Amino acid sequence: MIRSRCISMKTEQILRMMADGKTYAEMLRSELKVTRQDIADAAAEILQVLGPRLEPRTKLEAIRQTVPRVYAKWSEEEDRRLIAMFRRKLLVGEIAAKLQRSEMGIKARLVKLGLMSPEQVPELKKLQERRRRRWL
């Protein structure tokens, strides 16, 4: 039940109408006697419950606290180091730590360099699909 997150009964009722596919006009004409201000207040209340959302730049900065080179452009020197470590059969986690990259970033680069096949990294396909859907 939604109320466990400390929202008012009115807000929950408005959310339920929205979830049921009610239009704005239908909500205003409902037996609950909802007003435009009630709908605006419900939206504000939900946003307050959800809390602040990190902006993409802030998210990246937060991630870089633990993985400093995440999403950074790859240099030729990094590629050479990656290839050498991969050929020495270091674990992906070890390579990631040495290059200050994420494990997924290492796997994706190995696929791009032709050292691993996409089939060896099924989670990469899922990630690419999510990114593709985001832009549709």
Side-chain angles (χ1 to χ4, degrees):
M1 178 168 275
I2 297 173
R3 257 180 273 129
S4 65
R5 285 220 153 184
C6 302
I7 63 171
S8 68
M9 181 67 99
K10 185 76 137 189
T11 294
E12 182 176 348
Q13 291 169 335
I14 290 170
L15 286 176
R16 288 193 188 286
M17 285 192 286
M18 293 171 125
D20 290 341
K22 301 278 189 225
T23 66
Y24 186 70
E26 289 171 329
M27 285 192 278
L28 292 175
R29 289 191 309 259
S30 75
E31 69 238 17
L32 296 174
K33 306 279 190 265
V34 175
T35 66
R36 284 182 170 83
Q37 189 60 49
D38 291 333
I39 295 170
D41 291 345
E45 186 176 347
I46 291 302
L47 289 173
Q48 186 175 14
V49 168
L50 292 174
R53 182 173 179 184
L54 292 176
E55 294 299 319
R57 181 181 174 123
T58 308
K59 284 182 187 177
L60 181 58
E61 290 167 358
I63 293 168
R64 284 195 170 150
Q65 295 296 314
T66 56
V67 187
R69 300 228 0 105
V70 70
Y71 299 115
K73 185 176 167 100
W74 284 80
S75 69
E76 289 180 19
E77 175 60 28
E78 282 181 302
D79 280 343
R80 282 193 287 279
R81 291 180 62 205
L82 171 62
I83 292 166
M85 288 186 266
F86 182 74
R87 289 189 175 146
R88 287 196 322 259
K89 304 211 184 299
L90 267 67
L91 298 174
V92 170
E94 293 173 302
I95 297 171
K98 289 180 186 286
L99 295 178
Q100 297 182 330
R101 301 274 186 169
S102 68
E103 289 187 25
M104 181 57 75
I106 297 297
K107 292 176 185 179
R109 194 64 178 184
L110 289 169
V111 168
K112 185 170 185 160
L113 295 171
L115 297 169
M116 289 179 78
S117 71
E119 291 76 30
Q120 290 175 286
V121 191
E123 62 267 36
L124 182 60
K125 186 173 184 176
K126 291 176 190 171
L127 178 65
Q128 290 170 334
E129 179 62 25
R130 272 198 311 257
R131 285 182 181 157
R132 189 184 69 75
R133 271 190 256 128
R134 193 180 306 155
W135 293 103
L136 292 181

